Amino acid sequence: MDEKKIPSMEPDRQYYFMNCCKELILQRSREAGRTLTYNVQTFGCQMNAHDSEKLKGILDEIGYEETESENADFVICNTCTVRENANQKLYGHLGHIKNIKSKRKNMIVCLCGCMMQEPHVIKTIKEKYRYVDIVFGTHNIYKLAELIYRYLSSGNMVVEVLEKSDNAVEALPQKRKYRFKSGVNIMYGCNNFCTYCIVPYVRGREKSREPQEILDEIRCKIASGVKEVMLLGQNVNSYGKKFDYSDGKIAELTENQNVRFPELLNQVCKIDGLERVRFMTSHPKDLSDELISTMANNPKICKHLHLPVQSGSTDILQKMNRRYTKEQYLALVDKIREAMPDISLTTDIMVGFPGETEEDFMHTMDIVERVGYDQVFTFIYSKRTNTPAAGMDNQVPEEIVKDRFSRLLELVNKKSNERISRFSGMVKDVLVEEINHQDQAYITGRTEENVTVHFPGDANLIGQIVPVRLDSCMGFYYLGEMMR
Ligand code: SAH
Ligand code: SF4
Ligand code: F3S
């Protein structure tokens, strides 16, 4: 390869490598007498799922064809490390992939995502998983083509994990799961350092994208059929704060960066052709009155807020470094409900944080009882190496945690069933997503409150927003009938 020909600027550089890969993949598929296939496995949150769409865009571009099966020519696992079981899942999965690789000539195995940002993981892979071919982290996913090219031309394991983001390159292909809805990153990283959480270590410091860049991306997506966008960030309410990388301090804002989250939402809503806007995740400490009124006054913004509470105990919240009390959280919920009475509230709750007493846990039960969430994602606290909580005294014994977890689950299910039934008999706009998995005569969609509805209909309606009467509440979902 003539090094001088490689563009130094992005995204040209990546398009250059995509072309180089294209030739090599074409050659390999001619030798094999068939199109080569790829499979992407996603382990993490919405951010990771969106990153996977970027990986798929590049793999399509260089000539691979997607398959649902891991028995493929290129397998990539986009990993998560937020809890220990996410790590275990990957190692289990790798054993299975090793088996496939032993029977499949020229198969390429690639690992990326949050777990790869941990030095001990890289060490283990280099020592024990030698059949892995390409490894990279969260800061350089845009370089997939360059890394594949490097592997194809050397045949050696390629490992490139960066400690922090140089500059995320955005203008690259993306392949959406759904034609009519899409995630859009508005910021990367997290500066909150909740004491249990590994995300700030593996995703780096918070950094907001320029508003203009976000708006352009959304306009472009609408032109290709998108009706609903989900704005993504670990803490969207702090969008627009400019942080200095080196010490986490807030630096001077330029005029353009002076757009905060409510203003960004307003600008996004003005885009013609866009029908629905969602966002996640909101940190309760940063949720402003301005955001509440922006949501209440803007019909395009879906009336759904994911507002992770984590625990109902002020003591535990303080040890978690969440920076709000039980009372402040409840007052915030009241304010939100006053402005939008029917809004759907969802949350994340963790049990078994170090030092959690029965009394602390009862405060968590009390929050669930009082708020009435539409949905609660429940987790057992998992010790993450190098986070402050991992070194705290009084780790809670497993039997106690399991007992609390099942009591919590019972209450959560009862309360969310009660809450979701408030829509019984109402007619709601539903964005149709797909044919029902169990019954082909039914289609499945979501209301703005993120409630799933199944109703009779056909594939022509996929991607359309239609009025549906919500007839029977079946716990977490509805059976309904279209009203036109
Ligand atoms: N940025 C989001 C959360 C991202 S992680 C927020 O602040 O709400 C998603 C969820 O995983 C968290 O809300 C938390 O409930 C859970 N989680 C994070 N670290 C965990 C740990 N060490 N053990 C168990 N659950 C954890
Ligand atoms: Fe983790 Fe807290 Fe950041 Fe959410 S806000 S990603 S829980 S550190
Ligand atoms: Fe997991 Fe990374 Fe998301 S650790 S939860 S995939 S940000």
Side-chain angles (χ1 to χ4, degrees):
M1 169 179 271
D2 183 355
E3 295 279 336
K4 280 195 218 108
K5 276 196 193 156
I6 305 174
S8 56
M9 297 292 281
E10 298 291 5
D12 299 359
R13 186 180 170 89
Q14 294 315 312
Y15 278 101
Y16 175 85
F17 280 110
M18 279 186 240
N19 274 329
C20 299
C21 286
K22 217 183 250 179
E23 278 174 33
L24 295 176
I25 303 296
L26 187 65
Q27 207 176 317
R28 281 198 172 194
S29 67
R30 280 206 190 107
E31 282 162 21
R34 59 183 175 80
T35 309
L36 300 188
T37 54
Y38 75 86
N39 175 252
V40 178
Q41 303 274 327
T42 309
F43 291 83
C45 60
Q46 306 248 10
M47 297 261 182
N48 252 28
H50 187 52
D51 284 348
S52 288
E53 298 190 336
K54 298 179 180 178
L55 299 170
K56 288 180 187 183
I58 295 171
L59 290 166
D60 273 349
E61 184 68 28
I62 65 179
Y64 282 107
E65 191 175 84
E66 188 174 5
T67 165
E68 293 289 306
S69 149
E70 299 125 334
N71 193 355
D73 299 297
F74 189 100
V75 172
I76 179 163
C77 299
N78 191 5
T79 62
C80 172
T81 186
V82 78
R83 286 169 288 274
E84 184 65 28
N85 58 3
N87 286 40
Q88 295 313 338
K89 233 161 87 183
L90 178 76
Y91 288 128
H93 196 68
L94 276 178
H96 176 59
I97 289 177
K98 183 183 183 187
N99 247 331
I100 301 176
K101 186 164 177 169
S102 67
K103 295 179 204 128
R104 200 170 174 121
K105 197 174 160 230
N106 286 337
M107 180 175 171
I108 302 174
V109 179
C110 178
L111 302 179
C112 67
C114 296
M115 201 176 149
M116 300 304 125
Q117 291 296 137
E118 294 181 279
H120 68 92
V121 171
I122 299 297
K123 189 166 171 275
T124 308
I125 288 167
K126 281 184 178 165
E127 283 169 11
K128 298 196 186 144
Y129 297 86
R130 293 296 308 166
Y131 54 92
V132 171
D133 303 303
I134 305 173
V135 179
F136 56 99
T138 55
H139 300 300
N140 48 352
I141 64 159
Y142 69 89
K143 280 175 95 175
L144 177 64
E146 183 170 342
L147 299 175
I148 294 178
Y149 185 78
R150 214 190 291 165
Y151 170 73
L152 287 175
S153 41
S154 73
N156 299 327
M157 189 193 240
V158 172
V159 180
E160 187 182 284
V161 179
L162 309 178
E163 258 181 49
K164 59 183 188 181
S165 153
D166 36 10
N167 226 342
V169 178
E170 303 283 349
L172 290 171
Q174 290 183 20
K175 182 183 192 178
R176 296 196 295 271
K177 183 171 177 206
Y178 298 103
R179 184 176 40 82
F180 48 86
K181 66 173 190 176
S182 176
V184 176
N185 289 117
I186 63 165
M187 59 203 297
Y188 297 99
C190 181
N191 280 6
N192 287 318
F193 291 95
C194 303
T195 54
Y196 50 80
C197 185
I198 202 161
V199 172
Y201 306 90
V202 295
R203 286 270 171 178
R205 290 297 63 72
E206 194 174 291
K207 188 171 187 219
S208 298
R209 282 177 75 193
E210 290 288 333
Q212 210 48 52
E213 223 183 272
I214 297 167
L215 296 169
D216 287 346
E217 180 179 329
I218 297 176
R219 281 193 200 99
C220 195
K221 286 188 160 154
I222 288 170
S224 67
V226 163
K227 289 185 176 162
E228 177 181 299
V229 292
M230 165 83 92
L231 308 180
L232 294 170
Q234 292 298 350
N235 178 12
V236 291
N237 298 331
S238 76
Y239 173 81
K241 279 188 193 164
K242 174 103 165 81
F243 286 91
D244 187 300
Y245 264 176
S246 48
D247 56 8
K249 280 196 193 128
I250 300 177
E252 286 292 302
L253 293 168
T254 66
E255 202 175 314
N256 207 20
Q257 284 154 346
N258 209 359
V259 171
R260 303 304 308 278
F261 188 53
E263 175 55 21
L264 180 73
L265 275 175
N266 276 328
Q267 295 190 16
V268 168
C269 288
K270 282 191 196 132
I271 300 178
D272 279 343
L274 182 64
E275 302 201 32
R276 281 180 168 185
V277 183
R278 299 183 184 278
F279 54 86
M280 88 180 330
T281 297
S282 291
H283 195 303
K285 78 175 164 63
D286 295 316
L287 198 144
S288 63
D289 291 352
E290 197 189 345
L291 178 65
I292 297 175
S293 62
T294 304
M295 280 187 88
N297 295 328
N298 218 318
K300 284 190 185 179
I301 304 178
C302 291
K303 300 299 173 278
H304 170 211
L305 254 182
H306 185 61
L307 199 60
V309 65
Q310 311 300 355
S311 166
S313 151
T314 298
D315 274 357
I316 294 292
L317 286 169
Q318 198 196 352
K319 288 185 189 146
M320 288 176 165
N321 191 29
R322 291 292 289 179
R323 287 174 273 178
Y324 50 84
T325 62
K326 179 186 185 187
E327 290 69 31
Q328 283 167 335
Y329 185 90
L330 286 170
L332 182 61
V333 167
D334 284 346
K335 214 159 35 172
I336 296 166
R337 286 254 167 82
E338 207 172 296
M340 296 166 281
D342 251 355
I343 193 170
S344 147
L345 291 178
T346 56
T347 201
D348 293 345
I349 293 179
M350 200 185 298
V351 292
F353 185 82
E356 184 188 72
T357 62
E358 178 64 18
E359 193 188 337
D360 292 321
F361 175 67
M362 288 320 287
H363 282 295
T364 299
M365 295 288 269
D366 186 47
I367 281 248
V368 173
E369 190 68 61
R370 283 162 71 171
V371 173
Y373 292 106
D374 283 60
Q375 197 177 5
V376 181
F377 299 89
T378 47
F379 305 105
I380 286 179
Y381 165 73
S382 167
K383 199 170 175 175
R384 306 315 289 127
T385 318
N386 295 330
T387 58
M392 288 180 185
D393 296 337
N394 301 325
Q395 304 277 334
V396 186
E398 200 180 318
E399 323 79 80
I400 297 187
V401 176
K402 283 198 170 144
D403 173 63
R404 286 181 192 159
F405 189 73
S406 61
R407 280 150 68 201
L408 176 67
L409 216 55
E410 200 179 319
L411 180 66
V412 155
N413 288 341
K414 177 174 147 273
K415 292 296 291 182
S416 58
N417 288 358
E418 274 171 32
R419 179 79 189 145
I420 289 179
S421 68
R422 74 190 178 284
F423 297 121
S424 276
M426 287 188 193
V427 176
K428 286 265 169 197
D429 282 342
V430 170
L431 173 57
V432 183
E433 293 187 349
E434 57 202 359
I435 296 282
N436 188 286
H437 296 300
Q438 261 106 49
D439 186 341
Q440 300 279 307
Y442 276 69
I443 48 182
T444 298
R446 281 165 202 273
T447 69
E448 64 168 320
E449 295 86 359
N450 215 27
V451 175
T452 303
V453 189
H454 306 292
F455 59 102
D458 59 50
N460 292 330
L461 292 169
I462 293 175
Q464 291 191 40
I465 296 179
V466 295
V468 178
R469 194 182 57 222
L470 309 189
D471 291 327
S472 1
C473 180
M474 313 297 287
F476 297 110
Y477 64 90
Y478 271 93
L479 293 178
E481 196 184 326
M482 198 164 89
M483 287 287 99
R484 65 168 188 203

